[in-house]
Amino acid sequence: MLLSGADIIVKTLIEQGCDVVFGYPGGQILNVYDSLYKYSDEINHILTAHEQGAAHAADGYARTTGKAGVVISTSGPGATNLVTGIATAYLDSIPLIAITGNVPTTQIGSDSFQEIDITGVTLPITKHNYFVSRVEELADTLREAFRLSLSGRPGPVLIDVPKDVQIAICEYTPKEKVAADEKQPAKEIRIQEAAECINSAKRPFIYFGGGLISTAAQEEMLELAEKIDAPIGCSLMGISGIPTDHPRFLGMQGMHGHYASSMAMHNADCIISLGVRFNDRVTGNRAKFATKAKIVHIDIDGSELSKTVNATHGLRADIKLTLQKLLPLINKVERKEWQEKIAFFRKEENDYLDNRESLTPRKAILTLNKHLGENTAVATDVGQHQMWSAQNLSFKTTRRFVSSGGLGTMGFGIGAAIGAAFGTKERSVLVTGDGSFGMCLQELATAVSYNVPLVILIMNNGVLGMVRQWQTLFFNKHYSNTVLNRKTNFVDLARAFGADGEKASSVEELDKALTKAFSTDGPFVIDCSIDKDEFVLPMLPPGGSMDDIIVKVGDGI
Amino acid sequence: MKRYTVAVLVRNDFGVLNRITSMFRRRQFNITALNVSETESIDHSRITVTFDGEENNKQQLINQLYKLPDVYSIKDLTNENAVKSEMLMIKVGNEPETRADIRAAADAFEAKTMDYAKDSMIFLLTGDSRKIDDFINLMSDYTILEICRTGIVSLEKGSSVMRKITNL
Ligand SMILES: Cc1ncc(C[n+]2csc(CCOP(=O)(O)OP(=O)(O)O)c2C)c(N)n1
Ligand SMILES: [Mg+2]
C-alpha cells in the first residue's frame, strides 16, 4: 500500500509490536503526529512535559519489559532535550529507539530554524544512528534500528527523519517483527577451560549485572551457585535480578555495596562474573581489587573483557547458552569452610546495621518495602536515597529496580517511574531526593494527566546529600552549594499539579502516608523528612580498597 | 609500547569514517596514521590504522571496532605475514652548497624527483616506514620545507582476502 513516510514510521512501530510511545510534538515532526492521530486505535502516545521526561519514560518502559522503548521528538531543541535520556540508556545498555524530525533535506546543512546535527551530537551515546534521506529506506531502517537496539548488548539507536521524507510517499509492505540476532555460546574449549578454573576454586563467588537480566540467565546462574556452593553478589544494575531474600544472595557490590558481598568478593579465589563490567565504582583501587582471585568473565560484549580488570578467562558469548554448556562440566561440591566465612561476614554486616528506631533512611525504605507488591517497580533518582534504596529495597520479580547506574542521572526517576507504570501496567514507585526531584518534577503533570498510579517518596534531607557526604569526608565540611533548604512545599506542589500528597516526619506517619498513597488512584507525593547528616554506609572511598572500607560513623569520619 | 597495524573493511558511505575516528578520539587511542581508500568493491572502503600502544590496547581497539555496525571485517596486520608500504613526499630547499649531497641521498634511497625548481626540490619515496623515517632523518640536516606522508597501507601475503563477515 502507498503511504507517506510519517505513516510508514507509525505503521512500522505497530508492526514491531510497539503499543506505547512517549514524546513531544513540534514543527518538523508534525506529520508523524498526524499519523499518530490517524492510528491512535493501534498505538498510544504519551505526551510528557519535557522531552527528557519522555526519553526516561521510554527507558523505564524498556527496563521493566525488556522490549525496546520508543521516544519521539521534533528537531533542534526537541532533539537536544533527548540527549541526557539517550546517554542514560547508553551507559546502562537499555534498548531505546529515538525518532527525531529534522528540517527538509534541501535545508540540511544551512543552519535553518531548529536544525541540529543530532546524528552528530548523539554519535558517542548511541549504539548506532541513522539519517534517513529517502522514504524508500525508512521502514527497513526502523526495523534495523529495532534489531540493533535489542541484539547483543542492547542500547539506544536514533533515527533522524527530515520533514520531506515524512511527507514523501512510497510503497509500504508490512513485515514480521524483527528478531534480535541469534545468540551464541562460547567455544567449547573456552568453556572447558573456564570449567576447570571453577572446579579448582576453593572460594568461588558469583557476581552478576544487567547483562544477566537482559539475557534472563537467572535459572542457570542459580543452578551453578547450587553446584559450586557459592554466594552471589551483584552490581547496581543487577538488583532485582534474583529475589532479594534468596539465601545465596549477599547483595550489591561496590562503593556502597553490602559489606558481606564486598568481603566475599574480596576474599574469593575465583570470581565468576556474568554480564557485568568492572566499573571504577565497583573495583575502587584496581591494583588492590580482588588480588587473590582468578576471574572468569562472560559477557556478550567482547570489549568488556579485560577492559579494566584482567580476566583469567574472558568469554565473549551469551551468558545463558554458555552456562547451559558449562553446567554439566561442573563438579558438585560443598564448601563448609567458605560458607562459614560467608556466615561470619554476614554476622559482621548485621552487627554494623543501623537499627535506630527513628525515621532513619534505612527505616524509611524498610517501611516502603512493606507496601510493595510482588510486581511493583521502584525507580530512583541519584544520590544517597538511591544507595539507601539499592541497599534496602526488597524485590521478588526481575526488572523491577529502575535506576540510572552508569550515568547517574538526577531527574531520571520520575520519567522512568511513569514509563515503568506503563511497562508493568501497575502502580510504580519513585524514591527520589529533594535535589533530584527538583530537576524534572514537571512530569508530575504527565502523571496527573494520564492518571498514572505512582507513589513518589521524596527523601527530603534539605541537601544534596551525596555531594555533602563527600564534602564531609574529603573537603573539610565545606558545604559549598549543597545546602538546599528551599522553601518548596512539596505537598502543596503536588496539589498544584492536581495530585495529592502528605508529609511524614515519623515512621508511623510514613506508614500511614504510604497506605494512603498505595490506595490512591493516580500520583501521590510523600514528603519524608530525613536528617541532613545521615550517611550512606558502608563506603569504599574512591580509589580505596577493602582495607579502607568505612562501615560505621566514627571510622575515619 | 609497540606499533600496530590493523586493516578495517567498512561500509562505503559518508559519515562512516567519522564514526570510526570519533570512537578513536573518545577512547583516546594513540593513532599515528590512518589511511582510507576505496576497494575492489564499491560497497566497501578499507581503512588502515597504525597506532602505538600495548597488546591490550590493540585488543580493545579491535573489540570496539567490532561493535560498530558499519564495520564489516577487521584484520590485525602487525605481524610479518603482511606486506606494508607507505609513501612520502618531501620538499627541501635547493641550495648550491647542498644540492649534490641531497641528490646523492635521494639516489641512494631510490627516491624519485617530482619537482625541481630554482629554490626547491620535491622527492617521492615509497617503502616501509623505517626507510621513510631514515630518509627524513637524513634530510633534516638540510632545509625541509614540507612533508606529506600517506601512512601505512598493508595487505596480507598469499591469496587470503578480507571479506564482509556477517554477524560479527
Ligand atoms: C544531572 C546531575 N547533576 C549533578 C549530579 C551530581 N550529584 C550526584 S548526587 C547529587 C545530590 C543529589 O541530591 P538529592 O537528589 O537531594 O539526593 P540525596 O543525595 O540528598 O539523597 C548530585 C548533585 C548528578 N548525578 N546528576
Ligand atoms: Mg537531598
Side-chain angles (χ1 to χ4, degrees):
Chain A
M1 88 194 97
L2 282 175
L3 290 181
S4 71
D7 282 350
I8 290 176
I9 291 176
V10 176
K11 270 290 192 193
T12 312
L13 288 175
I14 296 166
E15 158 204 298
Q16 292 304 312
C18 175
D19 51 3
V20 56
V21 296
F22 304 86
Y24 209 96
Q28 305 303 342
I29 195 79
L30 262 174
N31 296 77
V32 171
Y33 274 80
D34 196 49
S35 305
L36 283 166
Y37 181 83
K38 192 153 121 195
Y39 297 113
S40 57
D41 290 350
E42 295 170 77
I43 189 164
N44 195 5
H45 177 274
I46 306 301
L47 174 68
T48 55
H50 187 298
E51 287 88 352
Q52 183 181 348
H56 292 323
D59 176 318
Y61 175 87
R63 287 184 204 237
T64 47
T65 58
K67 301 204 298 188
V70 178
V71 58
I72 301 178
S73 84
T74 190
S75 66
T80 53
N81 273 349
L82 296 178
V83 167
T84 300
I86 295 172
T88 303
Y90 182 70
L91 280 178
D92 287 344
S93 310
I94 304 303
L96 180 78
I97 309 270
I99 300 171
T100 50
N102 210 334
V103 299
T105 44
T106 48
Q107 288 174 31
I108 290 280
S110 65
D111 300 324
S112 46
F113 180 64
Q114 297 197 329
E115 180 193 350
I116 275 290
D117 170 21
I118 197 65
T119 46
V121 170
T122 57
L123 199 65
I125 53 168
T126 48
K127 230 181 134 172
H128 197 53
N129 61 26
Y130 300 90
F131 177 84
V132 184
S133 48
R134 294 175 53 240
V135 68
E136 291 78 14
E137 294 167 359
L138 195 48
D140 277 345
T141 303
L142 256 171
R143 291 169 186 136
E144 173 82 5
F146 271 91
R147 183 184 67 78
L148 265 181
S149 80
L150 292 162
S151 292
R153 177 176 181 173
V157 177
L158 179 136
I159 304 143
D160 196 24
V161 190
K163 190 175 172 95
D164 53 332
V165 175
Q166 298 169 37
I167 295 169
I169 285 179
C170 85
E171 183 65 27
Y172 166 76
T173 322
K175 286 194 187 162
E176 295 257 294
K177 193 172 160 177
V178 294
D181 291 348
E182 204 179 318
K183 295 173 171 171
Q184 303 288 343
K187 287 204 187 91
E188 210 123 317
I189 172 80
R190 295 270 163 274
I191 295 179
Q192 262 164 28
E193 287 164 2
E196 274 162 38
C197 179
I198 296 169
N199 282 335
S200 62
K202 300 223 152 34
R203 300 181 307 277
F205 179 78
I206 298 177
Y207 171 46
F208 75 93
L212 182 105
I213 295 179
S214 93
T215 191
Q218 282 93 337
E219 208 179 301
E220 289 79 3
M221 174 180 75
L222 292 175
E223 194 180 330
L224 177 67
E226 270 332 299
K227 262 192 141 168
I228 63 175
D229 200 8
I232 303 173
C234 70
S235 66
L236 183 83
M237 296 308 298
I239 295 176
S240 83
I242 59 173
T244 313
D245 61 3
H246 191 283
R248 294 199 173 271
F249 187 52
L250 299 179
M252 177 178 74
Q253 279 300 315
M255 181 175 277
H256 295 298
H258 285 264
Y259 176 81
S261 189
S262 299
M263 285 306 278
M265 178 130 133
H266 187 62
N267 283 280
D269 66 348
C270 176
I271 301 173
I272 302 154
S273 319
L274 308 172
V276 75
R277 54 203 183 91
F278 294 89
N279 175 282
D280 52 288
R281 283 288 181 269
V282 164
T283 60
N285 182 346
R286 273 171 195 146
K288 290 189 185 168
F289 172 75
T291 43
K292 302 162 205 155
K294 290 189 170 159
I295 296 178
V296 175
H297 191 176
I298 313 179
D299 202 294
I300 192 85
D301 178 359
S303 69
E304 288 303 340
L305 307 172
S306 297
K307 184 173 81 175
T308 56
V309 169
N310 238 341
T312 326
H313 299 279
L315 285 68
R316 179 168 81 97
D318 178 62
I319 300 164
K320 192 179 179 78
L321 298 175
T322 303
L323 287 184
Q324 284 169 357
K325 297 216 158 186
L326 177 85
L327 278 165
L329 310 177
I330 298 293
N331 305 331
K332 170 114 181 94
V333 277
E334 248 173 72
R335 303 180 197 278
K336 250 187 110 212
E337 227 171 281
W338 181 222
Q339 288 303 340
E340 272 166 19
K341 205 154 185 173
I342 304 290
F344 175 73
F345 295 145
R346 277 195 195 261
K347 188 186 162 307
E348 272 189 310
E349 176 172 313
N350 248 319
D351 294 344
Y352 297 136
L353 269 186
D354 172 6
N355 284 321
R356 287 169 292 164
E357 287 299 326
S358 54
L359 183 53
T360 58
R362 177 162 181 266
K363 249 300 161 350
I365 302 293
L366 295 183
T367 309
L368 170 62
N369 275 340
K370 293 196 285 178
H371 295 264
L372 298 178
E374 288 226 335
N375 201 30
T376 313
V378 184
T380 75
D381 266 304
V382 172
Q384 291 183 311
H385 65 275
Q386 176 189 30
M387 293 300 124
W388 290 322
S389 301
Q391 292 174 338
N392 297 301
L393 277 170
S394 189
F395 292 96
K396 293 253 185 268
T397 311
T398 184
R399 295 187 173 279
R400 289 299 174 263
F401 182 63
V402 178
S403 192
S404 166
L407 194 63
T409 310
M410 287 172 72
F412 167 76
I414 186 160
I418 291 171
F422 281 98
T424 59
K425 302 193 164 54
E426 276 197 26
R427 182 185 310 278
S428 66
V429 175
L430 165 66
V431 180
T432 181
D434 45 329
S436 297
F437 192 57
M439 287 217 170
C440 292
L441 58 80
Q442 69 275 16
E443 297 308 336
L444 254 180
T446 312
V448 170
S449 298
Y450 292 91
N451 203 28
V452 179
L454 177 59
V455 177
I456 300 177
L457 175 62
I458 307 173
M459 299 186 80
N460 189 352
N461 50 7
V463 291
L464 300 175
M466 186 55 100
V467 183
R468 181 187 171 89
Q469 176 166 345
W470 284 53
Q471 289 172 332
T472 306
L473 291 173
F474 313 118
F475 291 89
N476 297 317
K477 305 192 182 179
H478 295 166
Y479 297 124
S480 171
N481 294 279
T482 50
V483 182
L484 297 176
N485 281 337
R486 292 174 177 155
K487 301 282 173 265
T488 318
N489 181 327
F490 287 116
V491 177
D492 283 353
L493 181 95
R495 299 216 169 102
F497 273 99
D500 201 0
E502 213 156 86
K503 250 184 103 62
S505 320
S506 67
V507 179
E508 296 70 36
E509 281 176 21
L510 176 61
D511 197 42
K512 252 180 59 199
L514 281 166
T515 307
K516 195 162 168 197
F518 275 83
S519 53
T520 297
D521 190 25
F524 192 97
V525 175
I526 301 172
D527 178 1
C528 174
S529 313
I530 297 289
D531 190 273
K532 66 183 189 310
D533 288 315
E534 291 288 351
F535 264 73
V536 182
L537 293 173
M539 179 175 191
L540 206 63
S545 72
M546 281 309 285
D547 307 329
D548 310 312
I549 195 165
I550 305 168
V551 287
K552 56 180 192 299
V553 181
D555 296 7
I557 296 176
Chain B
M1 197 100 118
K2 198 180 153 188
R3 179 152 292 188
Y4 294 94
T5 306
V6 172
V8 193
L9 200 65
V10 302
R11 195 163 66 89
N12 180 16
D13 202 354
F14 72 91
V16 173
L17 179 63
N18 180 223
R19 286 175 195 279
I20 289 174
T21 51
S22 153
M23 187 276 283
F24 289 159
R25 177 193 57 77
R26 179 159 70 96
R27 302 201 179 261
Q28 305 205 337
F29 288 112
N30 193 5
I31 307 294
T32 58
L34 190 73
N35 179 286
V36 190
S37 67
E38 295 190 331
T39 63
E40 68 284 356
S41 151
I42 56 158
D43 301 330
H44 302 168
S45 307
R46 186 175 175 116
I47 299 178
T48 312
V49 195
T50 311
F51 71 103
D52 290 338
E54 308 296 339
E55 180 67 25
N56 63 334
N57 300 124
K58 182 199 76 186
Q59 204 47 51
Q60 189 53 219
L61 178 127
I62 290 176
N63 285 337
Q64 293 295 348
L65 280 170
Y66 266 121
K67 286 163 61 171
L68 301 175
D70 290 323
V71 169
Y72 289 157
S73 180
I74 303 168
K75 195 147 227 169
D76 180 2
L77 296 176
T78 308
N79 60 17
E80 293 304 307
N81 203 25
V83 291
K84 295 182 189 64
S85 187
E86 166 167 31
M87 193 168 89
L88 164 80
M89 284 192 195
I90 183 165
K91 188 188 286 182
V92 294
N94 191 356
E95 289 136 22
E97 315 81 66
T98 55
R99 182 177 301 146
D101 289 348
I102 292 176
R103 301 209 56 170
D107 279 346
F109 275 77
E110 292 178 1
K112 199 171 143 197
T113 310
M114 300 286 284
D115 182 52
Y116 191 94
K118 196 161 127 289
D119 301 325
S120 67
M121 301 178 269
I122 300 177
F123 297 108
L124 173 78
L125 180 62
T126 317
D128 61 31
S129 304
R130 178 74 185 276
K131 176 175 163 191
I132 286 176
D133 290 343
D134 287 348
F135 188 65
I136 294 173
N137 241 335
L138 210 55
M139 288 298 112
S140 62
D141 285 349
Y142 312 106
T143 318
I144 297 178
L145 298 170
E146 262 187 320
I147 280 179
C148 175
R149 55 200 284 187
T150 58
I152 287 174
V153 291
S154 176
L155 287 177
E156 194 177 2
K157 291 177 187 170
S159 62
S160 93
V161 292
M162 277 180 85
R163 285 278 179 265
K164 177 172 176 176
I165 303 171
T166 44
N167 202 356
L168 279 174

